[in-house]
Amino acid sequence: MTTAQTEIDPTSHIYSRISTPNPTRFEIILSSLLNGTAISYSSGLSALHAALTLLNPRHISVGEGYHGCHGVIALFTRLTGLQKLALDCPADQLEAGDVILLETPLNPKGTAYDIASFAQKAHSRGAYLIVDSTFAPPGLQDPFLWGADLVMHSGSKYFGGHSDVLCGVLATQNKEWSTQLFQDRVFLGSVMGNMESWLGVRSLRTLEVRVQRQCDNAAKLIQWLDTTLHSPNPVPGSDEAVVQGALGEVFHASLQDGGDWLKKQMPNGFGPVFSICMKEEELAKALPSKLHYFQHATSLGGVESLIEWRTLSDASVDRKLLRVSIGLENWEDLRNDFLQAFKSLCK
Ligand SMILES: *Cc1c(COP(=O)(O)O)cnc(C)c1O
């Protein structure tokens, strides 16, 4: 990696593409939350773009996950010949300087992966681990504890938290990398706007309580959905029968068989995003219009609950799948909303 010829003072504030007070403030707060130096970007995808510009790997081992990240990878493939490897590729396919990009919990299902085992795999080959931790903001998961080299967030989700900010964040504990990332951003030009960073600082004040409540709400709802779905011999017309008539499956880290690592890496909850699979495509398509508390929209992490028939933004997923992002509403209102929606679908 080339080191920068002239170091630019990150707090000089002489030109807005280099630095301005609001993004600097946002980054200082985030650095303490993320346990590494944080650099902010205009979007989550521009943060990934900056990470790949920094590391310029020959191979990237990556799973499914956020479709836009695959768009950024395709751009590098066009420019540099970057090749994709499967997330579960044998370690000896990785070379020094390569990257494993691990998104966990994973979009759209909210299931989690063992960060430590991927860090160990990367480092055994001299490769690096980038963790896209968007679904588990600080308080839920610290990827540095388990060996991540770079942590990435789409700050458009929980950091912003009010569906009104687009931003991305990289954090690293490597001083040389953070200096290079800062210098690169001057020329990538992907700085966060002033207004967005001001909104970002506002949002970070409530990050902890928002995420706790959202997690709590989601955990209760998921438990209700899952228990109701698996309740044996439901009486016709009962809530159990109604749910079982429409719902096929629920996906979330809290329902996965994760072993010891899961509870260690996510000690405070498993995140407010989960997915459901309906019994039929038609039911999945119709459900959002039957719900009153949930907006039918993409994105996630905001204070208001959202539901999305996921095939509309990602053609690669099951057409029966809906992604749910839980907000700050009373969880029983959300449960009752689901129940009345399932009832109206069964008519
Ligand atoms: C939204 C998202 C991104 C992309 O972030 P933008 O801010 O929309 O560019 C990347 N990864 C994950 C997991 C996301 O949910």
Side-chain angles (χ1 to χ4, degrees):
M1 196 173 311
T2 54
T3 47
Q5 291 111 1
T6 41
E7 278 213 15
I8 305 166
D9 174 4
T11 57
S12 63
H13 306 327
I14 50 171
Y15 189 70
S16 302
R17 181 161 37 72
I18 302 171
S19 73
T20 33
N22 283 339
T24 302
R25 223 176 144 205
F26 185 59
E27 287 167 350
I28 288 170
I29 301 167
L30 279 173
S31 296
S32 86
L33 292 175
L34 291 166
N35 292 323
T37 303
I39 323 257
S40 63
Y41 295 90
S42 54
S43 69
L45 291 189
S46 58
L48 178 62
H49 182 264
L52 294 182
T53 303
L54 173 82
L55 299 173
N56 194 19
R58 289 160 59 104
H59 305 102
I60 183 162
S61 163
V62 59
E64 291 168 8
Y66 190 73
H67 55 107
C69 294
H70 287 273
V72 176
I73 292 167
L75 205 145
F76 273 81
T77 299
R78 205 170 79 209
L79 294 175
T80 72
L82 171 65
Q83 286 180 0
K84 267 200 237 184
L85 299 172
L87 188 62
D88 60 359
C89 70
D92 62 13
Q93 289 187 6
L94 291 165
E95 296 170 11
D98 283 348
V99 162
I100 298 179
L101 173 61
L102 179 67
E103 181 182 317
T104 184
L106 182 69
N107 200 2
K109 289 183 178 168
T111 42
Y113 286 76
D114 181 1
I115 297 170
S117 78
F118 285 94
Q120 198 272 331
K121 179 179 175 184
H123 298 157
S124 75
R125 303 292 298 169
Y128 303 114
L129 177 65
I130 305 177
V131 174
D132 181 342
S133 190
T134 300
F135 277 38
L140 295 186
Q141 167 173 288
D142 178 359
F144 288 127
L145 283 180
W146 315 104
D149 299 292
L150 266 180
V151 176
M152 173 196 147
H153 283 269
S154 165
S156 320
K157 315 297 165 54
Y158 291 99
F159 293 167
H162 298 69
S163 315
D164 55 8
V165 173
L166 190 68
C167 84
V169 176
L170 290 179
T172 176
Q173 296 181 331
N174 178 324
K175 177 76 185 72
E176 212 178 294
W177 285 12
S178 57
T179 305
Q180 187 71 49
L181 284 168
F182 181 79
Q183 313 263 341
D184 288 352
R185 193 187 59 184
V186 172
F187 304 113
L188 290 169
S190 46
V191 283
M192 238 180 121
N194 229 325
M195 178 72 174
E196 281 74 8
S197 339
W198 180 82
L199 287 167
V201 170
R202 167 216 60 180
S203 296
L204 291 180
R205 295 190 178 104
T206 56
L207 177 69
E208 186 184 24
V209 279
R210 278 189 283 112
V211 172
Q212 275 173 4
R213 169 70 178 260
Q214 287 170 292
C215 268
D216 237 45
N217 275 353
K220 287 176 178 147
L221 255 179
I222 290 161
Q223 218 208 345
W224 172 73
L225 283 168
D226 192 59
T227 316
T228 316
L229 179 62
H230 294 109
S231 146
N233 311 317
V235 179
S238 63
D239 292 355
E240 288 78 4
V242 167
V243 172
Q244 290 180 21
L247 185 62
E249 204 171 347
V250 186
F251 303 96
H252 189 238
S254 63
L255 301 174
Q256 91 190 56
D257 194 6
D260 282 352
W261 63 265
L262 182 57
K263 193 80 187 108
K264 268 195 214 142
Q265 293 182 20
M266 303 193 76
N268 303 316
F270 303 99
V273 176
F274 63 96
S275 278
I276 56 177
C277 238
M278 302 298 282
K279 286 224 150 111
E280 284 158 33
E281 181 181 329
E282 283 312 305
L283 295 171
K285 188 178 172 184
L287 182 66
S289 66
K290 306 288 184 194
L291 289 161
H292 304 307
Y293 280 78
F294 294 80
Q295 287 291 327
H296 187 196
T298 194
S299 200
L300 57 103
V303 294
E304 285 137 341
S305 292
L306 302 180
I307 190 162
E308 183 192 23
W309 186 32
R310 190 61 188 157
T311 188
L312 292 180
S313 12
D314 183 354
S316 71
V317 305
D318 189 329
R319 294 178 63 85
K320 300 191 294 298
L321 189 104
L322 293 133
R323 187 180 71 183
V324 186
S325 168
I326 297 299
L328 297 182
E329 302 88 347
N330 179 296
W331 88 271
E332 285 163 318
D333 288 339
L334 299 178
R335 180 197 57 196
N336 294 341
D337 198 23
F338 263 120
L339 194 56
Q340 68 75 26
F342 287 147
K343 272 185 188 149
S344 74
L345 285 178
C346 291
K347 274 183 194 143

